[in-house]
Amino acid sequence: MAHHAACDHDHHNHGVAGSALEAELAAAEARCAAADQRLTAPRRRVLELLLTAGQPVKAYDLIASFAIDGPPAKPPTVYRALDFLEKQGFAHRIESLNAYVACRREADGHAAAFLICDCCGATREIEPKASAEIIAAGAAAGYALTGVTIEAHGLCADCRG
């Protein structure tokens, strides 16, 4: 993700690497197997890219980074993988950024809230307490909500400092 021109401090990658990455991918494989789903090679590769990025990534950046050696993936391959990862709870789409981020929470169907730094792009997923109120308000209005995603923009501690 591109940083704002005025953002001149060091940016740290909050992604996963090494044995922690392998553990995340193994856990994803196990969750898929338990749900009678398959974490195919393209799905696994897209999840790996999201996990190592540690911040929101646009689909076309995933397409360009997909191949380790050789040409990039075809867009439908990556978009189908992203759709699967979202449905299985491994990724979230951040609408305001038109980007995707790995979800490392175990809970199925949890509400997602993101704190997004408008300077450096750092993104943090938190558990929103307001989601229960939103779901209750939806039910009171006759809606059966299937998901709640909250996006909050501002400056992270590093950019404020």
Side-chain angles (χ1 to χ4, degrees):
M1 177 171 181
H3 302 295
H4 190 278
C7 191
D8 61 0
H9 63 84
D10 289 334
H11 299 104
H12 305 285
N13 181 347
H14 299 288
V16 182
S19 61
L21 175 62
E22 290 306 315
E24 290 278 352
L25 293 171
E29 294 264 5
R31 281 178 54 196
C32 283
D36 202 25
Q37 297 291 326
R38 289 186 51 230
L39 190 63
T40 62
R43 293 168 177 173
R44 180 183 166 90
R45 179 66 179 144
V46 171
L47 180 58
E48 178 184 17
L49 290 170
L50 291 173
L51 287 165
T52 57
Q55 65 181 12
V57 182
K58 294 187 178 288
Y60 274 86
D61 292 332
L62 292 169
I63 292 166
S65 301
F66 186 87
I68 295 170
D69 293 316
K74 297 198 181 316
T77 300
V78 172
Y79 280 108
R80 280 194 298 268
L82 287 167
D83 183 55
F84 172 84
L85 294 172
E86 277 188 281
K87 286 179 180 170
Q88 298 303 313
F90 295 114
H92 294 289
R93 180 163 190 256
I94 299 181
E95 297 287 335
S96 64
L97 301 176
N98 194 25
Y100 297 84
V101 66
C103 177
R104 296 173 59 198
R105 301 192 186 276
E106 293 287 327
D108 290 333
H110 73 279
F114 296 96
L115 305 176
I116 303 164
C117 180
D118 291 325
C119 182
C120 71
T123 303
R124 183 172 170 202
E125 183 176 354
I126 61 170
E127 290 291 330
K129 302 236 184 291
S131 64
E133 294 175 25
I134 294 169
I135 292 169
Y143 286 79
L145 300 179
T146 57
V148 174
T149 302
I150 299 168
E151 299 177 23
H153 288 262
L155 296 177
C156 70
D158 290 338
C159 291
R160 279 196 342 264

